[in-house]
Amino acid sequence: MLHVDLVVSIHGHGPRHLRADIPQGGTLALFGPSGSGKTTLLRALAGFHEARGTLSWDGRELITEPVETRPFAWMPQAPSLFPHWTLLRQLVEARPGRTADARLDTLISALGLTTLTDRPGRRLSGGQQQRGELARALARDPDVLLLDEPFSALDAPTRSAIGAFLRDLLRSEEKSMVLASHDWNDVEAWADEVILLDQGQTVAQGEPGALYAAPPNWPAARMMGFECRIGNRALHPDLAEWSTPHGCPVVLTGRVGDVTPHGAGVRVTISCADGTTVRASVPRGVSRPAMGDRVEVGFHAPEVVDDVS
Amino acid sequence: MRSAVSVRRAAPVVLIVVLGLLLLAPALVLLVYGIRDWGLIPPATLRPLGTTSLGSSAFALLITAAGGLPLAWYLSNLPRRLRFLAEGLLAVPLLLPPLVVGLTLAFLLGPESLTHLAWTNTFWGLVVAEVYEAAPYFVFVAWAGFGGVPLLYREVARSLGWRPWRVFSRVTLPLASPNLAVGAAMAWSRAIGAFGAPIVVSYHPQGLPVGLWVVLEEFGLPQALPLALLLVIVALPLPIGALIWSRHAAR
């Protein structure tokens, strides 16, 4: 288990407390907009940024250890393959034994790098570099992966293929992971626990599904995509209910404005008589309202206690 | 309209021709008269001049690289406030006229100085004079090279579990090496062409630049030109090789 109880000073935001326990095989997500301190916290875990407190892996205290002996693999957000070495060479040199072994072959083929191994880092595109970096991080065979926006440069099919491979690997080898992401979908897909960060501050912390179902405060709700408040209820476009609105805690009537594609369905803007404007997703299979239509829609809106701070 | 276009097209050609003539004129003079009058070089001066020049410059380059490389690496990791100070210190031998550097060196290395070295008019005195003229160029260029290696690569290397020496030898050094080659090329050219400091510190043994001046004084231009050609022939291969290599490595 990775035990984290750290005070990290985040540039411009002062000292911040980071506390989490990540079991073996578990994933912690750091979620927030850019500038919220995800990268700094990840760097503090890796050992690049000064931190005070406790950081231990299975009882082994890591805070006094230098970067190079911590049982982590760190993948920064910016492209970081060594420009002067071929991809194969940097993968081999990242292996603890520094030999091209069967595991390396598995990584190379699983991450779609077979045809790229002879190329120097400087000749690889952003997406290719990202896959190469992931391979290099995994080649190190760490106990904990520290990944900073690891899928940001990947196209959707590659993303899902690599996601499936990584998930298998994490499960079969019981690796732990700390993932920094600004995408709530990633958080829901990967994390057992998430820390919502805003300007270096922990806004909420918990299991992603539970936080989404019952946001502990309004800033947290906003970060997860809740767009407005009616009374003490938070409204998320994806939690609109069209077929049986009257069972919902919030029911609105209004006129449809904008209609834009969203996933398999559409998203509509609804202007109510009292001047409030809300957005609601219309999933596939529900009859689509047209612009100007008068509609009635319910929201499965969780109750949100006012700001904690 | 048409003439405007043709002027625009002709301008770069004219510029290149004029600049080319200006820049190549010395080289042409050197080639034509140097080769024609090659036989006029006093034969006794040729070998000692060549070997002294090559030998002293090689040692000067070696010393410059051996001391300058770690120094440049250290400087590239200095906090910003101290950098300014280091830049100023390094600039001193660059800003002082070489003759002044030579005079102070002659004083320091001379038999009457505190050091009691008595290195004036010795091979090692010549080497020291050449190091003073060459080293700052190497250190500045190498410093920029080390400073230009993105911190991110070094951090990633550490995160792979590599010890500091491995990070340096596998990442920092190779990525800085194009600059190191350019710095070495400049240092070599400065060392082998050094005149101001060596003429004061070491009139004997003589390298090519001082020897050239002596021949010019004693015999005249026709005898000096072929010797100048020899100096260029001796001085050029290493920097040209280094520059080609650095272009290749940076690609």
Side-chain angles (χ1 to χ4, degrees):
Chain A
M1 185 175 79
L2 185 72
H3 171 66
V4 184
D5 190 351
L6 291 176
V7 177
V8 181
S9 80
I10 294 179
H11 186 72
H13 294 309
R16 297 298 186 219
H17 209 151
L18 178 70
R19 180 179 280 157
D21 284 312
I22 309 161
Q24 194 171 359
T27 294
L28 170 74
L30 304 171
F31 171 74
S34 54
S36 59
K38 309 185 289 290
T39 295
T40 307
L41 291 179
L42 217 53
R43 289 176 59 87
L45 292 177
F48 294 115
H49 194 92
E50 204 189 307
R52 287 175 293 116
T54 319
L55 176 68
S56 65
W57 171 252
D58 283 347
R60 168 180 155 201
E61 184 53 63
L62 300 175
I63 197 78
T64 50
E65 287 194 24
V67 174
E68 50 266 34
T69 61
R70 296 188 184 191
F72 300 155
W74 173 66
M75 177 177 161
Q77 188 179 4
S80 68
L81 282 188
F82 301 132
H84 60 301
W85 276 359
T86 63
L87 178 59
L88 183 65
R89 176 148 188 215
Q90 37 200 315
L91 295 182
V92 170
E93 300 263 353
R95 292 290 295 144
R98 287 180 194 138
T99 45
D101 49 13
R103 184 184 166 86
L104 207 56
D105 293 339
T106 313
L107 286 174
I108 288 170
S109 65
L111 294 172
L113 299 167
T114 315
T115 58
L116 304 174
T117 48
D118 292 339
R119 290 212 216 157
R122 67 167 71 87
R123 299 257 170 83
L124 295 171
S125 74
Q128 291 168 338
Q129 288 225 18
Q130 213 161 39
R131 284 183 280 144
E133 285 164 56
L134 191 58
R136 188 174 58 182
L138 292 170
R140 209 209 155 181
D141 222 355
D143 292 319
V144 185
L145 286 164
L146 309 174
L147 307 183
D148 198 346
E149 305 275 6
F151 316 118
S152 59
L154 303 181
D155 55 79
T158 311
R159 200 182 165 101
S160 68
I162 285 175
F165 169 75
L166 184 59
R167 199 180 301 278
D168 269 0
L169 190 132
L170 291 176
R171 191 166 34 224
S172 63
E173 300 184 1
E174 292 213 290
K175 305 280 189 203
S176 304
M177 179 162 92
V178 182
L179 175 78
S181 178
H182 63 270
D183 185 342
W184 184 253
N185 291 323
D186 276 349
V187 174
E188 287 196 319
W190 290 97
D192 306 304
E193 185 178 5
V194 59
I195 296 177
L196 273 61
L197 291 163
D198 190 27
Q199 302 192 354
Q201 190 106 34
T202 298
V203 173
Q205 181 166 358
E207 197 268 311
L211 289 179
Y212 185 75
N217 53 60
W218 176 236
R222 272 201 81 97
M223 287 175 67
M224 291 185 286
F226 289 83
E227 293 186 345
C228 66
R229 274 194 292 190
I230 306 275
N232 60 356
R233 298 281 179 171
L235 271 54
H236 193 296
D238 288 343
L239 294 176
E241 174 63 59
W242 295 89
S243 35
T244 52
H246 288 282
C248 295
V250 173
V251 182
L252 298 169
T253 50
R255 211 169 278 284
V256 173
D258 224 19
V259 182
T260 52
H262 178 74
V266 293
R267 203 169 249 195
V268 298
T269 308
I270 300 162
S271 306
C272 305
D274 63 355
T276 48
T277 304
V278 298
R279 296 202 303 159
S281 300
V282 187
R284 224 173 95 99
V286 174
S287 68
R288 287 185 188 179
M291 205 169 165
D293 283 0
R294 207 174 162 70
V295 292
E296 186 179 41
V297 61
F299 282 91
H300 298 287
E303 199 169 0
V304 173
V305 187
D306 220 72
D307 306 12
V308 278
S309 57
Chain B
M1 193 68 194
R2 198 182 173 144
S3 67
V5 170
S6 62
V7 164
R8 211 177 300 156
R9 287 217 181 116
V13 177
V14 172
L15 194 69
I16 287 169
V17 169
V18 170
L19 266 179
L21 280 176
L22 282 174
L23 292 172
L24 285 177
L28 286 174
V29 168
L30 209 55
L31 271 178
V32 172
Y33 292 94
I35 291 170
R36 196 194 68 182
D37 298 338
W38 189 258
L40 293 180
I41 303 178
T45 56
L46 241 173
R47 278 235 1 220
L49 287 181
T51 46
T52 306
S53 253
L54 279 176
S56 62
S57 305
F59 272 111
L61 182 61
L62 219 71
I63 292 165
T64 296
L69 202 102
L71 177 64
W73 184 82
Y74 178 77
L75 290 172
S76 72
N77 288 306
L78 272 187
R80 206 158 280 158
R81 282 169 290 120
L82 293 176
R83 250 178 244 178
F84 181 72
L85 194 72
E87 272 171 1
L89 280 175
L90 264 180
V92 170
L94 279 182
L95 297 178
L96 286 178
L99 208 54
V100 175
V101 172
L103 286 169
T104 53
L105 279 180
F107 178 75
L108 281 172
L109 299 175
E112 286 88 40
S113 81
L114 289 172
T115 58
H116 291 294
L117 273 173
W119 272 13
T120 44
N121 291 318
T122 64
F123 180 77
W124 295 112
L126 177 63
V127 170
V128 170
E130 288 177 348
V131 167
Y132 257 83
E133 288 211 17
Y137 290 89
F138 178 81
V139 174
F140 270 122
V141 177
W143 183 358
F146 284 128
V149 175
L151 183 61
L152 184 66
Y153 294 136
R154 288 155 61 186
E155 289 178 339
V156 165
R158 288 185 68 196
S159 81
L160 293 173
W162 297 359
R163 301 274 164 195
W165 168 250
R166 194 175 168 79
V167 174
F168 178 76
S169 64
R170 303 298 160 104
V171 177
T172 315
L173 192 64
L175 287 176
S177 61
N179 264 58
L180 299 180
V182 172
M186 289 172 76
W188 170 263
S189 303
R190 300 318 303 170
I192 204 162
F195 175 75
I199 198 173
V200 188
V201 175
S202 172
Y203 191 79
H204 275 291
Q206 262 168 23
L208 273 165
V210 176
L212 193 60
W213 181 74
V214 173
V215 168
L216 178 68
E217 289 291 283
E218 288 181 5
F219 299 94
L221 204 50
Q223 282 80 0
L225 271 177
L227 210 52
L229 179 63
L230 177 68
L231 174 57
V232 170
I233 289 169
V234 168
L236 274 187
L238 190 127
I240 288 178
L243 292 177
I244 290 172
W245 181 84
S246 86
R247 284 298 293 270
H248 177 77
R251 207 166 283 153

